[in-house]
Amino acid sequence: MSVDRILLTNDDGVDAAGVRALYDALADEYEVTVVAPADDQSSVGRRLSADVAVDDHELGYVVDGTPVDCVVAGLDELVTDADAVVAGCNEGANLGAYTLGRSGTVSAAVEAAFFGVPAVATSMYVPGGDDWWKREFEREDFAHAVRATRFLFDEAADAGVFDRADYLNVNAPIADADRAPLRVTTPSTWYGMRAERNGDGRVGFSDPIWGLMNDGDVPDPVGTDRRAVVDGEVSVSPLSVPHTAEPDAGLDELIDAYEAAVRS
C-alpha cells in the first residue's frame, strides 16, 4: 500500500504543541488534514458522541467532540480519501496493556483500524512529579516522537507492516538526549492501580508505576513498552484491534446447563 493523505488527530486539543509538531514533520511529504478536538479530551477512551459541531481550522477541521468522533467524522465524511491516521503527539505516555482502552490517542488509532485504515498512535513520556502535566511543551520536546513517526510512515507501509498489524502504538522519551533508538515491544501486562478512601466519602485512585518510572525501577523486562522508554528508547508496539473471540473458553457446556435449568 502507499500513503499519500493522512488524517491527523489527537486528544490534547487542536492547539496542542504535539499535534503541530507532527503536522510540520509530515506535511512536507504527505497531504495532511487535521481533524482534532476543540479542547483536551485525555482519557476519554472510545467515547462516541451522538453528533458534533465541526468548524474549519487553518490545518483542517476542529471538532467539538472526542478523538473517536474526529476519526469517524473524518474518515466517513470530512477526509474520506485518507490513507492513514496519525493520533498525537500525546503529552504523556500510553504504556502498558491496561492503559490502551482509556487513552483517547490510542482509541483514535483503534477506531481507524475498524475502518480498515492503518494508524499510528504517538505519545511522549514526560518524567516528573504529580504536576508534570502543568509543564508547557515546545515542538522541540517532541523531536524523538516526531522523528520515529515520520520514519514509520515513510517505511512501514512498503515493508508490509500494516498487512500484519492494524496500528502501531509509539511511545518516545521527551527529547532531552541526542538519540533514542527504536525498539519493537509488547505492552507491559503489569497492573498496579490502587484505590483509597480519603475520609470525605470519596475514593481516590493512584498508579504507582509513574513513580517507579521516575526512579528507573520498573517491573518490566526488556522487550516491553515501558522498559524501552525508561531505557531511553522509542517503543513501537504493533497491535491489532481488540476483542478476539476465544472459541475454547468452556462456554459450550455452560450453554447446555443453562438450557437445562430453564426447562426445569
Side-chain angles (χ1 to χ4, degrees), residues 228-248:
V229 172
V230 168
D231 289 346
E233 300 170 329
V234 177
S235 164
V236 183
S237 295
L239 301 173
S240 298
V241 291
H243 310 313
T244 300
E246 175 49 64
D248 298 319

Side-chain angles (χ1 to χ4, degrees), residues 7-20 33-45 47 49 52-74 78 85-90 103-109:
L7 188 161
L8 176 60
T9 190
N10 72 347
D11 74 358
D12 290 325
V14 70
D15 295 321
V19 75
R20 174 66 79 162
T33 302
V34 171
V35 185
D39 52 20
D40 188 356
Q41 296 288 317
S42 297
S43 299
V44 299
R47 185 186 301 167
S49 305
V52 292
V54 178
D55 292 305
D56 291 337
H57 185 274
E58 61 174 322
L59 304 182
Y61 303 93
V62 56
V63 174
D64 185 18
T66 69
V68 164
D69 293 335
C70 293
V71 172
V72 176
L78 303 173
V85 168
V86 178
C89 181
N90 192 58
S103 165
T105 302
V106 176
S107 292

Side-chain angles (χ1 to χ4, degrees), residues 195-205:
E196 183 177 1
R197 290 184 183 270
N198 59 18
D200 61 357
R202 300 180 67 83
V203 174
F205 304 113

Side-chain angles (χ1 to χ4, degrees), residues 13 15-22 89 91 137-139 142:
D15 295 321
V19 75
R20 174 66 79 162
L22 277 177
C89 181
E91 298 174 3
F137 296 100
E138 305 293 335
R139 295 182 200 176
F142 300 92

Side-chain angles (χ1 to χ4, degrees), residues 146-160:
V146 165
R147 185 180 301 112
T149 303
R150 172 60 191 266
F151 174 81
L152 290 167
F153 262 102
D154 287 347
E155 305 294 338
D158 288 343

Side-chain angles (χ1 to χ4, degrees), residues 17-255:
V19 75
R20 174 66 79 162
L22 277 177
Y23 180 90
D24 290 344
L26 295 168
D28 65 341
E29 179 69 22
Y30 303 96
E31 185 177 354
V32 181
T33 302
V34 171
V35 185
D39 52 20
D40 188 356
Q41 296 288 317
S42 297
S43 299
V44 299
R46 291 189 61 214
R47 185 186 301 167
L48 180 69
S49 305
D51 57 49
V52 292
V54 178
D55 292 305
D56 291 337
H57 185 274
E58 61 174 322
L59 304 182
Y61 303 93
V62 56
V63 174
D64 185 18
T66 69
V68 164
D69 293 335
C70 293
V71 172
V72 176
L75 293 179
D76 205 46
E77 180 64 29
L78 303 173
V79 198
T80 58
D81 57 347
D83 302 303
V85 168
V86 178
C89 181
N90 192 58
E91 298 174 3
N94 285 298
L95 298 162
Y98 69 101
T99 70
L100 300 182
R102 296 180 193 154
S103 165
T105 302
V106 176
S107 292
V110 169
E111 200 70 26
F114 281 110
F115 273 89
V117 175
V120 175
T122 302
S123 305
M124 179 180 69
Y125 169 60
V126 184
D130 293 338
D131 60 352
W132 67 267
W133 52 271
K134 296 180 180 178
R135 177 171 175 174
E136 293 292 329
F137 296 100
E138 305 293 335
R139 295 182 200 176
E140 293 76 16
D141 294 325
F142 300 92
H144 294 325
V146 165
R147 185 180 301 112
T149 303
R150 172 60 191 266
F151 174 81
L152 290 167
F153 262 102
D154 287 347
E155 305 294 338
D158 288 343
V161 170
F162 293 116
D163 295 332
R164 288 162 281 182
D166 293 324
Y167 70 100
L168 305 179
N169 187 38
V170 177
N171 283 273
I174 194 169
D176 56 4
D178 293 337
R179 183 173 175 271
L182 287 175
R183 181 179 289 276
V184 178
T185 62
T186 57
S188 169
T189 58
W190 186 90
Y191 181 77
M193 290 296 301
R194 298 289 183 267
E196 183 177 1
R197 290 184 183 270
N198 59 18
D200 61 357
R202 300 180 67 83
V203 174
F205 304 113
S206 63
D207 187 350
I209 195 61
W210 302 112
L212 295 174
M213 288 189 71
N214 286 335
D215 296 336
D217 187 28
V218 294
D220 303 293
V222 172
T224 57
D225 53 2
R226 205 152 41 211
R227 169 56 64 186
V229 172
V230 168
D231 289 346
E233 300 170 329
V234 177
S235 164
V236 183
S237 295
L239 301 173
S240 298
V241 291
H243 310 313
T244 300
E246 175 49 64
D248 298 319
L251 281 173
D252 291 342
E253 294 80 0
L254 293 184
I255 297 298

